[in-house]
Amino acid sequence: MNSRTTRSRSTKSRSERTTFHRSRRRTAAAVALGSVLVLTATACGDDGSAAGGAKGAEGSGKGEITFWDNNGGVRTDIWKQVIADFEKKYPDIKVHYVGIPAASAQSKYDTAIQGGGLPDVGGVGTAMLAEIAAQGALEPLDGRLEKSTLKGKLSRNLLGVSKAAGGGDTLYQVPTSVNNGTLWYRTDLFQKAGLDAPASWPKFYEAADKLTDKGRNAFGFTIRGGEGAIAPALDAVYGQSGITSFWDGDKTTVDDPKNVAALEKYVALYKKDTPSADVNNDFTKMVAQWDSGTIGMLSHNLGSYQDHLKALGKDKFRGVPNPTLADGTRVQVSNPVDGLSLFKAGKNKAAAWKFIEFAVSAAENSKFNESAGQVPANTDAAKDAWIQRSEPTKLAAEALNGGSTKIVQLPYYLPDWNTISKADNEPNFQKLLLGKMTAKQFLDTLADQLNKAQAEWKQQKG
């Protein structure tokens, strides 16, 4: 099916307005990928060359390094604590902290790659990792990690997300934390209705039906229909189908018949067991609606915990990971992972790597994530007391590190991923909820776009 045939004229216009920007990204990616193949050929033993002709060096392991925080303001205080601890242990290394607002982090890196001035080490999330790596700016980290005190201490699932997001099998990011998807549910409403916790998909759908009473404006679930709707929908789809890979060769699995059936079941909840206003809900509206107290379940990440606590009190809700299949297997899509990267242009890579090792050590990674309210990448940190006291985070850590959880790696590395998953298909998801598009049409459209983007990416890379 042609991806354009299922769109209305207005949706076409919106998508066509992205064509110029998409073409520019593809051109830039093609040039950058040509460079990165040369620059990374010698892996971490190269001469430190980076995009723009900058030269890096291993350095003495002492002196000064510059660190860019990609979530400046929000995380400034905790990073300054980590830096103070580091400088106490390594008094011969001085860390210059630069806080960059999350919204401008990628453009800041892109500008520095072209014009110079990159840091020695920086925070790089998976959403921007592939683009920065493709420009030849990042140092491969596999060899360093193999010889590091961090070897065997990091979540295998998060390392897998980091590698996949980088566009291949090379590690360009040491993961620090992840904000895992969580199914929040009202324990008081479940107890009153005699329902078990929604730990499995059958229990989830049973609860959604039983807790809905439209006459009292009570609903079993709130679905995300507005901005940011695609990732949670894919989480529900793969979670139910049990398919564990996003690709089957060079073709995506999103339009697999099992996924189509799962999506049909999921969107059938809309207006039956959810409020009609959900079609326009972004996460802010969805969270506020759930916190009002008349809805049984909400699928969101750990970041909304404090909102729920303030609105409902600690005894009226719980947060559990994505529901399991009947056999206990949990399948979930990859969540964006934050982490630290080493830049090729750095003049003191040895000292910068010491900083990464220290920041992701058990004690510091625990301290950072307790402040951030996220799941630590360091598996020893994930055992600390504060996590045991925070049940949603504890359960998320166990799910991420457990052998029964399968992670479907979303293609963050594709230059067109953000456009495809937002501008192109959020309007289509609303059409799906409103009955103007079938689940098969929606997933066929998405698959066609993804297959083309994957083919273009592989052509540029090869």
Side-chain angles (χ1 to χ4, degrees), residues 137-317:
L138 300 180
E139 183 88 357
L141 299 175
D142 301 87
R144 293 180 190 268
L145 184 60
E146 182 66 22
K147 300 173 184 176
S148 168
T149 56
L150 294 176
K151 181 182 178 181
K153 299 295 185 180
L154 302 180
S155 166
R156 286 177 294 176
N157 277 332
L158 294 194
L159 283 171
V161 174
S162 294
K163 284 193 174 186
D169 297 323
T170 301
L171 184 69
Y172 290 110
Q173 175 212 58
V174 175
T176 57
S177 54
V178 63
N179 198 354
N180 204 49
T182 301
L183 181 62
W184 302 99
Y185 72 98
R186 289 286 305 275
T187 51
D188 56 340
L189 298 181
F190 271 68
Q191 185 176 6
K192 185 177 180 181
L195 290 164
D196 294 331
S200 67
W201 285 105
K203 294 291 186 184
F204 166 81
Y205 282 107
E206 178 189 1
D209 279 337
K210 193 165 184 180
L211 292 174
T212 298
D213 184 345
K214 294 181 181 179
R216 296 190 301 109
N217 196 36
F219 297 91
F221 185 57
T222 175
I223 196 169
R224 187 167 180 168
E227 184 180 356
I230 304 304
L234 291 178
D235 216 4
V237 165
Y238 280 95
Q240 294 174 81
S241 73
I243 295 171
T244 58
S245 176
F246 197 80
W247 300 103
D248 182 6
D250 291 331
K251 300 296 183 183
T252 182
T253 59
V254 293
D255 58 342
D256 185 284
K258 291 181 180 178
N259 280 341
V260 173
L263 184 59
E264 287 173 343
K265 189 171 185 178
Y266 182 68
V267 299
L269 292 172
Y270 176 63
K271 289 206 306 187
K272 180 173 78 74
D273 294 327
T274 81
S276 59
D278 281 0
V279 70
N280 294 312
N281 276 357
D282 58 13
F283 86 92
T284 304
K285 295 174 184 175
M286 183 178 63
V287 168
Q289 186 169 264
W290 190 70
D291 287 346
S292 69
T294 60
I295 299 174
M297 295 179 290
L298 160 74
S299 183
H300 193 242
N301 58 49
L302 291 169
S304 57
Y305 174 72
Q306 291 299 328
D307 291 329
H308 309 326
L309 191 63
K310 183 178 179 181
L312 302 171
K314 65 178 182 178
D315 297 326
K316 291 185 178 180
F317 73 98

Side-chain angles (χ1 to χ4, degrees), residues 55-197:
K55 296 287 185 178
E58 192 67 15
S60 66
K62 301 178 181 180
E64 299 182 355
I65 60 172
T66 298
F67 165 58
W68 284 8
D69 172 12
N70 62 323
N71 199 1
V74 177
R75 302 281 184 254
T76 296
D77 289 345
I78 184 60
W79 270 122
K80 287 190 173 180
Q81 289 181 40
V82 173
I83 290 168
D85 292 345
F86 176 76
E87 291 179 341
K88 183 176 180 180
K89 181 175 182 179
Y90 296 99
D92 51 3
I93 302 174
K94 173 67 177 177
V95 180
H96 293 289
Y97 170 88
V98 179
I100 303 168
S104 57
Q106 183 160 348
S107 62
K108 179 79 171 175
Y109 279 126
D110 288 342
T111 299
I113 289 169
Q114 298 303 316
L118 283 166
D120 298 279
V121 59
V124 178
T126 47
M128 69 178 85
L129 184 63
E131 182 174 334
I132 295 174
Q135 295 179 75
L138 300 180
E139 183 88 357
L141 299 175
D142 301 87
R144 293 180 190 268
L145 184 60
E146 182 66 22
K147 300 173 184 176
S148 168
T149 56
L150 294 176
K151 181 182 178 181
K153 299 295 185 180
L154 302 180
S155 166
R156 286 177 294 176
N157 277 332
L158 294 194
L159 283 171
V161 174
S162 294
K163 284 193 174 186
D169 297 323
T170 301
L171 184 69
Y172 290 110
Q173 175 212 58
V174 175
T176 57
S177 54
V178 63
N179 198 354
N180 204 49
T182 301
L183 181 62
W184 302 99
Y185 72 98
R186 289 286 305 275
T187 51
D188 56 340
L189 298 181
F190 271 68
Q191 185 176 6
K192 185 177 180 181
L195 290 164
D196 294 331

Side-chain angles (χ1 to χ4, degrees), residues 352-363:
W353 176 251
K354 285 181 183 178
F355 178 72
I356 292 176
E357 277 189 306
F358 182 84
V360 195
S361 66

